[in-house]
Amino acid sequence: MDHFLYRDGELHAEDVPVAEIAAEVGTPFYCYSTATLTRHFRLFDEALEGMPHLVCYAMKAASNQAILKTLAGLGAGMDVVSGGEYLRARAAGVPGEKIVFSGVGKTREEMRIALEGGVRQFNVESEPEMAALSEVAVSLGVEVPITVRVNPDVDARTHAKIATGKSENKFGIPIARAREVYAEAARLPGLKVIGIDVHIGSQLTDLEPFRMAYEKVAELTEVLRADGHEISRLDLGGGLGIPYERSNAAPPLPTDYGALIRETVGHLGCEVEIEPGRLVAGNAGILVSKVIYVKSGEGRDFLILDGAMNDLIRPAMYDAYHDIVPVREPAPGVEPAKYDIVGPVCESGDTFAKERVMPAVGEGDLVAFRSAGAYGAVMSSEYNTRPLVPEVLVHEHQFAVIRPRPTFDEMINRDTIPAWL
Ligand code: LLP
């Protein structure tokens, strides 16, 4: 459920007509709903009620300061994967003790930033990284709580580019080697083993892969405890999918996911962390774009939008489906049209949808890409010297620009010319 609904013939973001924002901000732009962000975060928080837990929002999904502040105000922790994300979370007011540091290749400099600023735990992904973290912690005179990310060799049944839990993926240490690696962790100075971490992929639409992974983690918890390790915290990662295509069966809900967590690891007495990103932010954001031209091609019509692959790369990168709807509600019974929906960037990959059936629209009309809140703005670029797409946050009847569109001068003047030119 989201808060982008037609009202009086116009798509609204909460109580604000989307067309009103477009008139003020220009297109394209991302628009987020505070109410949807809040609702989705709370669904996870409530799904784990009664268990000691922390929902650490995977801020890579959408990391605008205003979004982080909204979620932090609800009690969210953050899952960060770079020094930049760590500092961004801190700047939004998230305390260090609510920040989990994940990622497959943390540098010593990134470790230092988080250790100096304070961190809840590091999720370590390899032995060399563990040795580096130990060195940095010792040099700063601190002891850092760690989990080790295990790779359970489970097929997440998702797009290959976002599956992370198979042995051929670069993530974590093979679960079969966990005892050895934990023994090494216990020997190294500056590290304090506190738990286990797992994350098997993103946009999972089935609970079975989670079940397989979490059962393996539960088993490993007992084994490591018998070896004398303190395992008091389980970081179960993120990955629960969202319904991009309304005609498909709806993926499981956070309540179902919470029930599965209780069932698989609830008996262990551990504090549980989860790291949802997409389900918190995905349906809380739309990308609004304007039709520049409708062009008749050979046996097809192209809808040419002012938004492009640099603004939303998911269709080009993962063949992702995004629902695209007119901002003005189509009259009942109006004949649908069929379009190839594209942006103006100079490559054929700049295609959002092929042969998409949708209500007919014309030049100057606004359209909205649904479910674009996660991995949308954060993956945007200025390719083709197109200004970085702005972001807007709505709260009831108010809206605010939370990242302005840069001017062409700002973009051009970011470059510097060497003395010899
Ligand atoms: N935790 C870790 C360690 C992760 O690597 C990720 C996502 C998450 C949590 C959050 O997963 P989520 O709940 O959002 O599924 N750009 C891609 C998605 C990449 C996901 C990367 N890791 C896309 O647009 O589909």
Side-chain angles (χ1 to χ4, degrees):
M1 197 216 131
D2 63 44
H3 295 78
F4 299 99
L5 299 171
Y6 289 114
R7 204 191 289 172
D8 308 322
E10 285 284 329
L11 188 68
H12 280 61
E14 302 190 16
D15 299 330
V16 185
V18 168
E20 197 177 305
I21 307 174
E24 191 164 319
V25 178
T27 51
F29 66 91
Y30 278 92
C31 174
Y32 306 97
S33 152
T34 301
T36 313
L37 283 169
T38 303
R39 180 184 143 80
H40 289 172
F41 172 78
R42 290 214 170 116
L43 284 177
F44 278 112
D45 208 21
E46 286 162 16
L48 298 179
E49 215 169 70
M51 280 183 109
H53 71 273
L54 184 66
V55 179
C56 296
Y57 169 62
M59 63 178 275
K60 62 168 78 69
S63 59
N64 189 289
Q65 290 282 286
I67 292 175
L68 302 187
K69 239 180 157 51
T70 301
L71 294 171
L74 302 169
M78 297 288 154
D79 169 53
V80 310
V81 291
S82 69
E85 280 197 350
Y86 174 86
L87 293 172
R88 200 175 252 282
R90 292 305 307 268
V94 183
E97 66 266 20
K98 284 192 164 178
I99 301 179
V100 167
F101 207 132
S102 301
V104 80
K106 305 166 200 83
T107 64
R108 285 174 167 78
E109 184 49 32
E110 290 177 317
M111 293 170 181
R112 207 166 290 123
I113 289 172
L115 289 179
E116 281 171 357
V119 70
R120 179 177 179 81
Q121 99 218 9
F122 269 78
N123 295 332
V124 173
E125 295 225 16
S126 68
E127 288 148 297
E129 186 194 49
M130 199 157 87
L133 185 60
S134 163
E135 263 173 49
V136 177
V138 168
S139 76
L140 294 172
V142 297
E143 190 177 50
V144 50
I146 66 156
T147 72
V148 176
R149 177 170 176 180
V150 292
N151 184 323
D153 195 21
V154 163
D155 181 359
R157 301 179 202 159
T158 184
H159 191 285
K161 284 188 185 161
I162 52 175
T164 57
K166 285 289 285 173
S167 56
E168 71 252 31
N169 301 130
K170 66 181 174 180
F171 301 95
I173 56 128
I175 197 161
R177 293 199 43 238
R179 293 180 72 188
E180 236 177 279
V181 176
Y182 272 84
E184 176 64 9
R187 270 194 299 273
L188 285 171
L191 306 182
K192 180 173 166 42
V193 171
I194 53 145
I196 307 173
D197 172 44
V198 72
H199 170 77
I200 56 173
S202 194
Q203 185 55 16
L204 273 71
T205 52
D206 176 359
L207 288 182
E208 266 324 289
F210 285 120
R211 178 188 300 281
M212 284 189 265
Y214 297 170
E215 280 172 354
K216 288 190 182 193
V217 167
E219 215 174 286
L220 181 63
T221 303
E222 315 265 19
V223 171
L224 293 177
R225 280 178 174 169
D227 284 350
H229 301 288
E230 179 199 321
I231 305 293
S232 56
R233 193 180 282 172
L234 300 178
D235 182 334
L236 300 174
L240 194 59
I242 64 172
Y244 282 103
E245 232 168 313
R246 268 136 227 265
S247 52
N248 286 357
L253 300 172
T255 41
D256 306 322
Y257 177 66
L260 175 76
I261 290 176
R262 268 170 229 279
E263 206 183 302
T264 49
V265 304
H267 58 288
L268 297 166
C270 287
E271 180 180 15
V272 164
E273 291 163 352
I274 53 171
E275 304 169 347
R278 191 188 307 268
L279 205 149
V280 174
N283 285 337
I286 57 174
L287 170 65
V288 181
S289 184
K290 188 184 273 181
V291 178
I292 313 179
Y293 300 115
V294 184
K295 166 171 158 174
S296 297
E298 195 79 61
R300 66 190 67 219
D301 288 335
F302 292 101
L303 203 60
I304 304 176
L305 304 181
D306 67 357
M309 64 189 289
N310 68 296
D311 304 308
L312 177 66
I313 203 168
R314 303 195 66 260
M317 192 144 173
Y318 315 106
D319 302 312
Y321 179 100
H322 283 267
D323 219 3
I324 302 171
V325 300
V327 166
R328 188 177 312 122
E329 188 173 17
V334 82
E335 277 295 303
K338 196 193 276 182
Y339 302 112
D340 280 11
I341 305 175
V342 302
V345 162
C346 301
E347 52 186 287
S348 297
D350 186 23
T351 297
F352 292 119
K354 284 205 157 129
E355 303 197 336
R356 176 68 63 87
V357 176
M358 66 174 282
V361 287
E363 213 171 295
D365 285 348
L366 297 172
V367 296
F369 290 72
R370 288 190 173 275
S371 311
Y375 307 110
V378 283
M379 295 181 79
S380 59
S381 75
E382 291 185 342
Y383 186 39
N384 279 211
T385 306
R386 294 168 46 84
L388 199 60
V389 57
E391 296 178 285
V392 170
L393 181 65
V394 171
H395 175 45
E396 297 172 352
H397 62 279
Q398 312 171 65
F399 73 89
V401 174
I402 56 174
R403 184 176 79 190
R405 193 188 313 277
T407 65
F408 289 120
D409 277 349
E410 281 164 355
M411 292 165 66
I412 295 164
N413 293 332
R414 232 182 272 137
D415 299 352
T416 51
I417 307 292
W420 66 84
L421 284 178

